[in-house]
Amino acid sequence: MKMPNNFLFGAASASYQVEGAWNEDGKGVSNWDVFSKIPGKTFENTNGDVAVDHYHRYKEDIGLMAEMGLESYRFSISWPRIFPNGTGEVNEKGLEFYNNVIDECLKHNIVPFVTLYHWDLPQALEEKGGWRSQETVDAFVRFADTCFQAFGDRVRHWITFNETVIFCSLGYLSGAHPPGIEGDVKAYFQATHNVFVAHARAVEIFKKAGYDGEIGITHVFSPSFSIDNDPDNKFAEMHANEYATHWFYDPILKGTYPEYVVNGLEAKGFLPEWTEEELDLLKRTAPMNDFIGLNYYCPQRVMKNDSALVMAGGRENSTGRPGNPSFDGVYKTVMMDDKVYTKWGWEIAPDAFLEGMRMLKDRYGDIKIYITENGLGDEDPIVDGEIMDTPRIEYIESHLRAVKHAVQEGINVAGYYAWSVIDLLSWLNGYKKQYGFIYVDHKNGLARKKKKSFYWYQEIIATRAEDL
Ligand code: BGP
């Protein structure tokens, strides 16, 4: 079987991870500009000041994407480029840059798939409370509306937020991302609720204005599986899926919060402060979501937590290995002897990917799915000057096969975006952890070079994955 003609083969990036030009053309300072410069926060204190200089090289990069045959490019808009202080006056130069990127994509018949928020929050808003604050919600809605108005004549695919669970949990529980707060469970749940409200308000504006196109949100997709059939571990599995998946997917797709979590939070005093109006908004806008974006890297293997510890890290903890207890100490994620892991301890499990998609279909029905990220973080071997990223090819091949299987089973998957189109800054792991089809030579003026996987993906796209 060939993948259907309207299935999009794409690849992704995010503004802070590729653009650089952190203080050029009127761009404001983002929370990541500040956070990454605090000594010890990132691997070798790397930051996105220059990143891979996509800001100045977008034409070359999009040209390479076109050569690869890429059908769609998912990228994000740096909010502080458009509103240097988060709100207030628009920076025209910022709009101009994204107009250029969009036009360059269209020139090459590449569908631009835009993420509005991929974590680089204007620092001015971070200082006013970030996602704990209503001010950020209001400012986001204005930012989203501005982008719809500026780019909505050419952009038909919109993602409001990337991975709420990650930027909120790493921001307020583990402290590994800005604002670097540890163990504030109340703030964590409040921030997630505020993000869902901001999403819902943006969706409603988009729909009311009648733009031609689709809008949705992108979530981490990391379904939990018990390590065995022990009832305590099965309970841990249920609990983990409720807190780490349903809490995020239900308000978007069902318009309500999962009762199990609401009851649990209420008992512990962690329930977000919300209004009836906000809950109505979630309910009213849920059916307006055109799709759900899934970022899938690995599942979670869980068991009951038998230690007194509560969560100290997370998936992105660059120093520790998994084995982290959940924030409430009920379960812990563990590595298993019979599983295969990447060098960074992320399990490679295409079967769990397919199984997870079935679970989603069971719970949420036929909602359209885009796989908005999937890929392998690795240190690619260079042999005689060629980048021989065979493990990446194997990883993507096995996961694309799972996607193909899903489509054959009638799961509504409409596109696949490899992470990442080009080697870029890994938030906490610098440039050492590579993901791209295109190599960036940091010792040679950031020169671009096609990897083995570049040619492989080119072939996959050209044949619409027929041989997979
Ligand atoms: C996702 C993010 C991406 C990207 C990816 C790989 O959570 O949306 O921006 O960074 O993970 O993560 P890492 O670079 O930590 O390996």
Side-chain angles (χ1 to χ4, degrees):
M1 179 199 124
K2 286 186 178 182
M3 293 303 265
N5 280 335
N6 56 359
F7 181 93
L8 290 171
F9 282 99
S13 78
S15 49
Y16 186 70
Q17 298 179 276
V18 291
E19 287 178 5
W22 77 285
N23 59 358
E24 283 181 49
D25 294 337
K27 177 183 165 289
V29 175
S30 78
N31 57 347
W32 272 93
D33 290 325
V34 175
F35 185 80
S36 61
K37 286 169 194 150
I38 303 171
K41 290 291 185 192
T42 65
F43 175 73
E44 291 178 344
N45 296 319
T46 38
N47 64 51
D49 283 4
V50 179
V52 296
D53 200 27
H54 185 62
Y55 189 77
H56 297 111
R57 298 179 192 226
Y58 68 92
K59 281 194 183 172
E60 180 188 353
D61 291 342
I62 295 170
L64 283 165
M65 295 178 209
E67 190 187 330
M68 189 163 50
L70 207 69
E71 296 176 331
S72 181
Y73 174 36
R74 174 184 175 226
F75 58 92
S76 78
I77 296 189
S78 159
W79 181 351
R81 242 184 236 300
I82 309 291
F83 288 103
N85 295 311
T87 182
E89 244 173 72
V90 174
N91 174 34
E92 293 298 332
K93 280 279 191 190
L95 293 181
E96 190 185 311
F97 171 65
Y98 294 106
N99 272 322
N100 291 340
V101 168
I102 291 161
D103 291 344
E104 196 65 21
C105 286
L106 296 175
K107 189 175 108 190
H108 291 290
N109 282 321
I110 295 173
V111 173
F113 209 123
V114 170
T115 309
L116 289 169
Y117 187 79
H118 202 128
W119 306 352
D120 42 356
L121 181 71
Q123 175 65 11
L125 291 172
E126 190 71 275
E127 283 167 16
K128 290 183 198 161
W131 286 108
R132 286 163 295 179
S133 156
Q134 204 51 48
E135 242 181 286
T136 302
V137 175
D138 291 340
F140 174 80
V141 174
R142 173 139 184 257
F143 163 59
D145 194 18
T146 305
C147 291
F148 298 151
Q149 288 182 39
F151 314 126
D153 58 334
R154 286 152 296 149
V155 173
R156 303 274 181 267
H157 299 84
W158 298 90
I159 292 164
T160 53
F161 288 91
N162 181 71
E163 299 191 347
T164 308
V165 68
I166 297 293
F167 71 86
C168 291
S169 67
L170 275 65
Y172 298 106
L173 293 180
S174 75
H177 279 199
I181 292 169
E182 278 176 56
D184 192 339
V185 179
K186 178 95 183 153
Y188 165 64
F189 282 103
Q190 187 66 52
T192 60
H193 171 69
N194 291 349
V195 169
F196 303 144
V197 169
H199 162 81
R201 283 176 59 189
V203 167
E204 194 162 59
I205 285 177
F206 183 82
K207 291 293 172 184
K208 276 197 176 148
Y211 290 103
D212 188 5
E214 308 181 310
I215 190 160
I217 196 167
T218 275
H219 281 338
V220 162
F221 185 49
S222 194
S224 292
F225 299 94
S226 169
I227 55 159
D228 58 21
N229 284 325
D230 178 300
D232 284 346
N233 295 336
K234 281 300 219 187
F235 176 80
E237 171 188 291
M238 180 279 293
H239 187 89
N241 280 323
E242 287 282 350
Y243 275 80
T245 298
H246 302 162
W247 176 261
F248 294 87
Y249 287 68
D250 281 17
I252 308 294
L253 298 177
K254 289 175 176 262
T256 51
Y257 286 105
E259 219 181 292
Y260 177 81
V261 184
V262 170
N263 292 339
L265 295 183
E266 204 159 24
K268 292 190 165 162
F270 293 146
L271 204 61
E273 278 157 40
W274 54 40
T275 64
E276 279 308 310
E277 209 185 323
E278 287 171 346
L279 297 179
D280 278 354
L281 171 81
L282 294 180
K283 200 160 236 151
R284 176 168 88 231
T285 52
M288 297 179 191
N289 283 279
D290 296 301
F291 64 85
I292 185 90
L294 310 183
N295 289 355
Y296 177 84
Y297 291 90
C298 52
Q300 297 200 81
R301 305 292 168 184
V302 299
M303 62 181 293
K304 74 168 178 189
N305 180 33
D306 42 17
S307 82
L309 283 176
V310 292
M311 174 165 154
R315 194 190 67 179
E316 267 81 359
N317 178 356
S318 59
T319 50
R321 285 154 62 86
N324 295 307
S326 59
F327 78 91
D328 54 6
V330 172
Y331 67 92
K332 63 178 178 183
T333 54
V334 294
M335 293 177 95
M336 295 173 72
D337 289 342
D338 62 339
K339 309 290 181 211
V340 181
Y341 294 88
T342 72
K343 281 182 199 159
W344 276 265
W346 297 16
E347 188 188 331
I348 301 178
D351 48 339
F353 185 24
L354 180 57
E355 194 47 41
M357 285 190 274
R358 290 176 182 143
M359 283 157 63
L360 280 190
K361 189 178 156 90
D362 279 352
R363 191 171 175 94
Y364 303 108
D366 279 325
I367 180 77
K368 187 192 272 193
I369 293 171
Y370 287 102
I371 308 307
T372 42
E373 283 181 32
N374 174 244
L376 176 71
D378 205 358
E379 288 171 283
D380 299 332
I382 303 185
V383 183
D384 296 333
E386 297 302 316
I387 299 102
M388 304 302 282
D389 57 341
T390 313
R392 174 160 307 104
I393 294 173
E394 287 167 357
Y395 181 99
I396 296 182
E397 187 170 51
S398 61
H399 288 76
L400 256 179
R401 202 173 286 132
V403 170
K404 194 170 172 184
H405 216 102
V407 170
Q408 279 166 331
E409 274 182 33
I411 297 174
N412 189 7
V413 191
Y416 174 89
Y417 292 74
W419 183 268
S420 51
V421 66
I422 188 168
D423 281 350
L424 40 69
L425 176 73
S426 164
W427 300 93
L428 300 180
N429 292 285
Y431 297 98
K432 195 174 151 203
K433 194 177 186 186
Q434 298 161 269
Y435 279 96
F437 294 119
I438 300 165
Y439 173 77
V440 176
D441 192 344
H442 287 262
K443 293 197 184 99
N444 181 21
L446 302 179
R448 276 48 173 161
K449 194 161 179 179
K450 295 165 225 167
K451 299 186 190 178
K452 188 179 172 192
S453 60
F454 179 101
Y455 299 103
W456 173 82
Y457 200 43
Q458 188 178 51
E459 181 67 16
I460 288 284
I461 300 171
T463 56
R464 307 212 65 70
E466 187 172 13
D467 298 330
L468 271 193

